[in-house]
Amino acid sequence: YSQSTVPFGPSWKIVRRLISTTEGSKPSDIRDRAILLLLAIYGWRAGEVRGLRLDDFDWSNELVSVSCSKVRGNRTFPLVRVVGDSVLRYLKEVRPTSAHREVFLTLYPPARPICVLWPIVANRLRPLAPSLPHHGPHALRHACATHLLSKGLSLKAIGDHLGHQDPDTTRIYAKVDLVGLRQVADFDLGGLQ
């Protein structure tokens, strides 16, 4: 059945622990931190992060544009400070010199655009949340949506943030809103039993 499952993602506490695994000074830690923050904070799809280009960052206006893979259009977001700082650190300290315009490149020669983000996420997330059924980038998209819901954002606002065209796509997150579901369950039916 359509939407018969609950979206699986790590708790926001696990996401914070995941980000903390990148606090080192190794080139892979610096690059991975920027990638993980983009996935978790913006809830972007892996292809959207992979497709980021140097020109997508408007540093003077603190904006970032993403080419949305599903709707074939661009969306612009305010550049969250921690994300901007991590991307700048990667660009200044780690990113290999290259003619490629994509932001994220392989770290070793020959430098080329990263093709797959799954191992970057899974290798860090699996030890922190082994019981999750999925450990790839999409799990962070679910974590972002669930976190926004827990902060009181409406399903419409969450759908807009994630770039959903159809409200039904976002509606699945209502299943993980246990506080809201409890309020419905506790609704006074005026003496009906």
Side-chain angles (χ1 to χ4, degrees), residues 168-193:
D168 286 345
T169 307
T170 313
R171 192 172 51 198
I172 194 167
Y173 293 104
K175 294 179 183 181
V176 296
D177 182 11
L178 296 180
V179 173
L181 290 174
R182 281 193 184 100
Q183 288 174 346
V184 170
D186 290 339
F187 187 72
D188 182 7
L189 296 175
L192 290 178
Q193 301 211 5

PDB file of all heavy atoms in Angstrom, residues 168-193:
ATOM      1  N   ASP A 168       1.086  14.907  -0.399  1.00  0.00           N
ATOM      2  CA  ASP A 168       1.007  13.513   0.053  1.00  0.00           C
ATOM      3  C   ASP A 168       2.385  12.926   0.344  1.00  0.00           C
ATOM      4  O   ASP A 168       2.524  12.039   1.172  1.00  0.00           O
ATOM      5  CB  ASP A 168       0.291  12.644  -0.986  1.00  0.00           C
ATOM      6  CG  ASP A 168      -1.203  12.897  -1.012  1.00  0.00           C
ATOM      7  OD1 ASP A 168      -1.718  13.511  -0.045  1.00  0.00           O
ATOM      8  OD2 ASP A 168      -1.850  12.487  -1.990  1.00  0.00           O
ATOM      9  N   THR A 169       3.391  13.423  -0.343  1.00  0.00           N
ATOM     10  CA  THR A 169       4.753  12.936  -0.121  1.00  0.00           C
ATOM     11  C   THR A 169       5.217  13.262   1.291  1.00  0.00           C
ATOM     12  O   THR A 169       5.909  12.471   1.921  1.00  0.00           O
ATOM     13  CB  THR A 169       5.709  13.548  -1.155  1.00  0.00           C
ATOM     14  OG1 THR A 169       5.198  13.304  -2.467  1.00  0.00           O
ATOM     15  CG2 THR A 169       7.096  12.969  -1.038  1.00  0.00           C
ATOM     16  N   THR A 170       4.822  14.429   1.792  1.00  0.00           N
ATOM     17  CA  THR A 170       5.237  14.860   3.129  1.00  0.00           C
ATOM     18  C   THR A 170       4.368  14.243   4.210  1.00  0.00           C
ATOM     19  O   THR A 170       4.811  14.082   5.347  1.00  0.00           O
ATOM     20  CB  THR A 170       5.168  16.398   3.221  1.00  0.00           C
ATOM     21  OG1 THR A 170       5.781  16.965   2.073  1.00  0.00           O
ATOM     22  CG2 THR A 170       5.886  16.908   4.458  1.00  0.00           C
ATOM     23  N   ARG A 171       3.165  13.874   3.869  1.00  0.00           N
ATOM     24  CA  ARG A 171       2.202  13.383   4.855  1.00  0.00           C
ATOM     25  C   ARG A 171       2.708  12.161   5.620  1.00  0.00           C
ATOM     26  O   ARG A 171       2.323  11.935   6.763  1.00  0.00           O
ATOM     27  CB  ARG A 171       0.877  13.064   4.163  1.00  0.00           C
ATOM     28  CG  ARG A 171      -0.242  12.838   5.139  1.00  0.00           C
ATOM     29  CD  ARG A 171      -1.564  12.719   4.462  1.00  0.00           C
ATOM     30  NE  ARG A 171      -1.503  11.735   3.389  1.00  0.00           N
ATOM     31  CZ  ARG A 171      -2.370  11.649   2.402  1.00  0.00           C
ATOM     32  NH1 ARG A 171      -3.363  12.489   2.328  1.00  0.00           N
ATOM     33  NH2 ARG A 171      -2.264  10.729   1.474  1.00  0.00           N
ATOM     34  N   ILE A 172       3.605  11.384   5.036  1.00  0.00           N
ATOM     35  CA  ILE A 172       4.119  10.191   5.712  1.00  0.00           C
ATOM     36  C   ILE A 172       4.783  10.552   7.047  1.00  0.00           C
ATOM     37  O   ILE A 172       4.810   9.739   7.972  1.00  0.00           O
ATOM     38  CB  ILE A 172       5.091   9.416   4.800  1.00  0.00           C
ATOM     39  CG1 ILE A 172       5.356   8.025   5.360  1.00  0.00           C
ATOM     40  CG2 ILE A 172       6.381  10.182   4.590  1.00  0.00           C
ATOM     41  CD1 ILE A 172       6.046   7.094   4.402  1.00  0.00           C
ATOM     42  N   TYR A 173       5.286  11.790   7.180  1.00  0.00           N
ATOM     43  CA  TYR A 173       5.954  12.185   8.417  1.00  0.00           C
ATOM     44  C   TYR A 173       4.976  12.403   9.565  1.00  0.00           C
ATOM     45  O   TYR A 173       5.382  12.468  10.723  1.00  0.00           O
ATOM     46  CB  TYR A 173       6.835  13.412   8.191  1.00  0.00           C
ATOM     47  CG  TYR A 173       7.990  13.075   7.284  1.00  0.00           C
ATOM     48  CD1 TYR A 173       7.998  13.468   5.962  1.00  0.00           C
ATOM     49  CD2 TYR A 173       9.037  12.292   7.748  1.00  0.00           C
ATOM     50  CE1 TYR A 173       9.038  13.120   5.121  1.00  0.00           C
ATOM     51  CE2 TYR A 173      10.074  11.936   6.907  1.00  0.00           C
ATOM     52  CZ  TYR A 173      10.071  12.350   5.604  1.00  0.00           C
ATOM     53  OH  TYR A 173      11.096  11.985   4.774  1.00  0.00           O
ATOM     54  N   ALA A 174       3.696  12.486   9.269  1.00  0.00           N
ATOM     55  CA  ALA A 174       2.703  12.584  10.336  1.00  0.00           C
ATOM     56  C   ALA A 174       2.725  11.325  11.201  1.00  0.00           C
ATOM     57  O   ALA A 174       2.404  11.370  12.388  1.00  0.00           O
ATOM     58  CB  ALA A 174       1.308  12.790   9.753  1.00  0.00           C
ATOM     59  N   LYS A 175       3.151  10.214  10.621  1.00  0.00           N
ATOM     60  CA  LYS A 175       3.214   8.956  11.376  1.00  0.00           C
ATOM     61  C   LYS A 175       4.283   8.982  12.455  1.00  0.00           C
ATOM     62  O   LYS A 175       4.205   8.230  13.419  1.00  0.00           O
ATOM     63  CB  LYS A 175       3.509   7.786  10.432  1.00  0.00           C
ATOM     64  CG  LYS A 175       2.415   7.503   9.454  1.00  0.00           C
ATOM     65  CD  LYS A 175       2.847   6.347   8.580  1.00  0.00           C
ATOM     66  CE  LYS A 175       1.833   6.049   7.518  1.00  0.00           C
ATOM     67  NZ  LYS A 175       2.253   4.905   6.704  1.00  0.00           N
ATOM     68  N   VAL A 176       5.305   9.786  12.279  1.00  0.00           N
ATOM     69  CA  VAL A 176       6.374   9.814  13.270  1.00  0.00           C
ATOM     70  C   VAL A 176       6.175  10.923  14.301  1.00  0.00           C
ATOM     71  O   VAL A 176       6.970  11.063  15.209  1.00  0.00           O
ATOM     72  CB  VAL A 176       7.768   9.952  12.610  1.00  0.00           C
ATOM     73  CG1 VAL A 176       8.082   8.751  11.766  1.00  0.00           C
ATOM     74  CG2 VAL A 176       7.880  11.224  11.808  1.00  0.00           C
ATOM     75  N   ASP A 177       5.107  11.683  14.174  1.00  0.00           N
ATOM     76  CA  ASP A 177       4.795  12.745  15.137  1.00  0.00           C
ATOM     77  C   ASP A 177       3.989  12.139  16.289  1.00  0.00           C
ATOM     78  O   ASP A 177       2.776  12.281  16.361  1.00  0.00           O
ATOM     79  CB  ASP A 177       4.014  13.865  14.446  1.00  0.00           C
ATOM     80  CG  ASP A 177       3.706  15.027  15.383  1.00  0.00           C
ATOM     81  OD1 ASP A 177       4.261  15.069  16.501  1.00  0.00           O
ATOM     82  OD2 ASP A 177       2.898  15.881  14.996  1.00  0.00           O
ATOM     83  N   LEU A 178       4.686  11.472  17.196  1.00  0.00           N
ATOM     84  CA  LEU A 178       4.006  10.780  18.289  1.00  0.00           C
ATOM     85  C   LEU A 178       3.273  11.742  19.212  1.00  0.00           C
ATOM     86  O   LEU A 178       2.200  11.417  19.719  1.00  0.00           O
ATOM     87  CB  LEU A 178       5.004   9.925  19.072  1.00  0.00           C
ATOM     88  CG  LEU A 178       5.630   8.783  18.269  1.00  0.00           C
ATOM     89  CD1 LEU A 178       6.609   8.014  19.142  1.00  0.00           C
ATOM     90  CD2 LEU A 178       4.568   7.868  17.709  1.00  0.00           C
ATOM     91  N   VAL A 179       3.818  12.927  19.426  1.00  0.00           N
ATOM     92  CA  VAL A 179       3.146  13.911  20.282  1.00  0.00           C
ATOM     93  C   VAL A 179       1.814  14.294  19.653  1.00  0.00           C
ATOM     94  O   VAL A 179       0.770  14.306  20.321  1.00  0.00           O
ATOM     95  CB  VAL A 179       4.043  15.153  20.505  1.00  0.00           C
ATOM     96  CG1 VAL A 179       3.284  16.244  21.234  1.00  0.00           C
ATOM     97  CG2 VAL A 179       5.295  14.761  21.271  1.00  0.00           C
ATOM     98  N   GLY A 180       1.827  14.598  18.357  1.00  0.00           N
ATOM     99  CA  GLY A 180       0.593  14.956  17.668  1.00  0.00           C
ATOM    100  C   GLY A 180      -0.399  13.810  17.633  1.00  0.00           C
ATOM    101  O   GLY A 180      -1.607  14.007  17.817  1.00  0.00           O
ATOM    102  N   LEU A 181       0.093  12.591  17.420  1.00  0.00           N
ATOM    103  CA  LEU A 181      -0.801  11.434  17.396  1.00  0.00           C
ATOM    104  C   LEU A 181      -1.418  11.191  18.774  1.00  0.00           C
ATOM    105  O   LEU A 181      -2.585  10.810  18.870  1.00  0.00           O
ATOM    106  CB  LEU A 181      -0.047  10.190  16.912  1.00  0.00           C
ATOM    107  CG  LEU A 181       0.338  10.188  15.431  1.00  0.00           C
ATOM    108  CD1 LEU A 181       1.206   8.974  15.114  1.00  0.00           C
ATOM    109  CD2 LEU A 181      -0.887  10.224  14.542  1.00  0.00           C
ATOM    110  N   ARG A 182      -0.653  11.437  19.839  1.00  0.00           N
ATOM    111  CA  ARG A 182      -1.211  11.292  21.192  1.00  0.00           C
ATOM    112  C   ARG A 182      -2.306  12.317  21.450  1.00  0.00           C
ATOM    113  O   ARG A 182      -3.293  12.028  22.105  1.00  0.00           O
ATOM    114  CB  ARG A 182      -0.103  11.408  22.233  1.00  0.00           C
ATOM    115  CG  ARG A 182       0.708  10.142  22.371  1.00  0.00           C
ATOM    116  CD  ARG A 182       1.599  10.149  23.602  1.00  0.00           C
ATOM    117  NE  ARG A 182       2.405   8.947  23.599  1.00  0.00           N
ATOM    118  CZ  ARG A 182       3.672   8.892  23.212  1.00  0.00           C
ATOM    119  NH1 ARG A 182       4.287   9.985  22.819  1.00  0.00           N
ATOM    120  NH2 ARG A 182       4.322   7.755  23.220  1.00  0.00           N
ATOM    121  N   GLN A 183      -2.117  13.537  20.931  1.00  0.00           N
ATOM    122  CA  GLN A 183      -3.143  14.563  21.098  1.00  0.00           C
ATOM    123  C   GLN A 183      -4.432  14.138  20.398  1.00  0.00           C
ATOM    124  O   GLN A 183      -5.520  14.362  20.920  1.00  0.00           O
ATOM    125  CB  GLN A 183      -2.658  15.898  20.534  1.00  0.00           C
ATOM    126  CG  GLN A 183      -1.584  16.545  21.383  1.00  0.00           C
ATOM    127  CD  GLN A 183      -1.013  17.801  20.734  1.00  0.00           C
ATOM    128  OE1 GLN A 183      -1.222  18.062  19.554  1.00  0.00           O
ATOM    129  NE2 GLN A 183      -0.274  18.566  21.520  1.00  0.00           N
ATOM    130  N   VAL A 184      -4.311  13.538  19.247  1.00  0.00           N
ATOM    131  CA  VAL A 184      -5.496  13.044  18.544  1.00  0.00           C
ATOM    132  C   VAL A 184      -6.137  11.926  19.351  1.00  0.00           C
ATOM    133  O   VAL A 184      -7.364  11.875  19.528  1.00  0.00           O
ATOM    134  CB  VAL A 184      -5.127  12.551  17.124  1.00  0.00           C
ATOM    135  CG1 VAL A 184      -6.287  11.813  16.479  1.00  0.00           C
ATOM    136  CG2 VAL A 184      -4.687  13.724  16.263  1.00  0.00           C
ATOM    137  N   ALA A 185      -5.325  11.029  19.893  1.00  0.00           N
ATOM    138  CA  ALA A 185      -5.847   9.893  20.653  1.00  0.00           C
ATOM    139  C   ALA A 185      -6.526  10.344  21.944  1.00  0.00           C
ATOM    140  O   ALA A 185      -7.480   9.711  22.406  1.00  0.00           O
ATOM    141  CB  ALA A 185      -4.727   8.910  20.984  1.00  0.00           C
ATOM    142  N   ASP A 186      -6.054  11.443  22.513  1.00  0.00           N
ATOM    143  CA  ASP A 186      -6.619  11.942  23.764  1.00  0.00           C
ATOM    144  C   ASP A 186      -7.777  12.916  23.546  1.00  0.00           C
ATOM    145  O   ASP A 186      -8.298  13.479  24.502  1.00  0.00           O
ATOM    146  CB  ASP A 186      -5.533  12.651  24.599  1.00  0.00           C
ATOM    147  CG  ASP A 186      -4.511  11.672  25.146  1.00  0.00           C
ATOM    148  OD1 ASP A 186      -4.825  10.470  25.228  1.00  0.00           O
ATOM    149  OD2 ASP A 186      -3.397  12.119  25.473  1.00  0.00           O
ATOM    150  N   PHE A 187      -8.183  13.112  22.316  1.00  0.00           N
ATOM    151  CA  PHE A 187      -9.256  14.060  22.004  1.00  0.00           C
ATOM    152  C   PHE A 187     -10.535  13.655  22.722  1.00  0.00           C
ATOM    153  O   PHE A 187     -10.959  12.510  22.707  1.00  0.00           O
ATOM    154  CB  PHE A 187      -9.481  14.091  20.483  1.00  0.00           C
ATOM    155  CG  PHE A 187     -10.450  15.147  20.058  1.00  0.00           C
ATOM    156  CD1 PHE A 187     -10.102  16.490  20.085  1.00  0.00           C
ATOM    157  CD2 PHE A 187     -11.717  14.800  19.614  1.00  0.00           C
ATOM    158  CE1 PHE A 187     -10.993  17.461  19.693  1.00  0.00           C
ATOM    159  CE2 PHE A 187     -12.601  15.776  19.203  1.00  0.00           C
ATOM    160  CZ  PHE A 187     -12.241  17.118  19.242  1.00  0.00           C
ATOM    161  N   ASP A 188     -11.155  14.625  23.385  1.00  0.00           N
ATOM    162  CA  ASP A 188     -12.393  14.372  24.131  1.00  0.00           C
ATOM    163  C   ASP A 188     -13.557  14.251  23.144  1.00  0.00           C
ATOM    164  O   ASP A 188     -13.875  15.185  22.411  1.00  0.00           O
ATOM    165  CB  ASP A 188     -12.635  15.529  25.096  1.00  0.00           C
ATOM    166  CG  ASP A 188     -13.894  15.317  25.943  1.00  0.00           C
ATOM    167  OD1 ASP A 188     -14.498  14.225  25.868  1.00  0.00           O
ATOM    168  OD2 ASP A 188     -14.242  16.247  26.686  1.00  0.00           O
ATOM    169  N   LEU A 189     -14.167  13.099  23.121  1.00  0.00           N
ATOM    170  CA  LEU A 189     -15.289  12.849  22.207  1.00  0.00           C
ATOM    171  C   LEU A 189     -16.634  13.147  22.860  1.00  0.00           C
ATOM    172  O   LEU A 189     -17.662  12.688  22.382  1.00  0.00           O
ATOM    173  CB  LEU A 189     -15.244  11.399  21.713  1.00  0.00           C
ATOM    174  CG  LEU A 189     -14.008  11.044  20.881  1.00  0.00           C
ATOM    175  CD1 LEU A 189     -13.996   9.571  20.557  1.00  0.00           C
ATOM    176  CD2 LEU A 189     -13.975  11.861  19.606  1.00  0.00           C
ATOM    177  N   GLY A 190     -16.639  13.894  23.922  1.00  0.00           N
ATOM    178  CA  GLY A 190     -17.889  14.313  24.552  1.00  0.00           C
ATOM    179  C   GLY A 190     -18.716  13.185  25.110  1.00  0.00           C
ATOM    180  O   GLY A 190     -19.923  13.123  24.902  1.00  0.00           O
ATOM    181  N   GLY A 191     -18.106  12.282  25.821  1.00  0.00           N
ATOM    182  CA  GLY A 191     -18.834  11.196  26.473  1.00  0.00           C
ATOM    183  C   GLY A 191     -18.998   9.956  25.634  1.00  0.00           C
ATOM    184  O   GLY A 191     -19.502   8.942  26.127  1.00  0.00           O
ATOM    185  N   LEU A 192     -18.610   9.988  24.377  1.00  0.00           N
ATOM    186  CA  LEU A 192     -18.686   8.767  23.547  1.00  0.00           C
ATOM    187  C   LEU A 192     -17.602   7.799  23.988  1.00  0.00           C
ATOM    188  O   LEU A 192     -16.493   8.184  24.292  1.00  0.00           O
ATOM    189  CB  LEU A 192     -18.496   9.108  22.068  1.00  0.00           C
ATOM    190  CG  LEU A 192     -19.627   9.867  21.412  1.00  0.00           C
ATOM    191  CD1 LEU A 192     -19.252  10.160  19.968  1.00  0.00           C
ATOM    192  CD2 LEU A 192     -20.910   9.085  21.452  1.00  0.00           C
ATOM    193  N   GLN A 193     -17.968   6.540  24.004  1.00  0.00           N
ATOM    194  CA  GLN A 193     -16.972   5.540  24.414  1.00  0.00           C
ATOM    195  C   GLN A 193     -16.912   4.419  23.439  1.00  0.00           C
ATOM    196  O   GLN A 193     -17.762   3.989  22.819  1.00  0.00           O
ATOM    197  CB  GLN A 193     -17.303   5.020  25.793  1.00  0.00           C
ATOM    198  CG  GLN A 193     -17.319   6.189  26.748  1.00  0.00           C
ATOM    199  CD  GLN A 193     -16.890   5.784  28.128  1.00  0.00           C
ATOM    200  OE1 GLN A 193     -16.499   4.665  28.386  1.00  0.00           O
ATOM    201  NE2 GLN A 193     -16.952   6.710  29.041  1.00  0.00           N
TER     202      GLN A 193
END
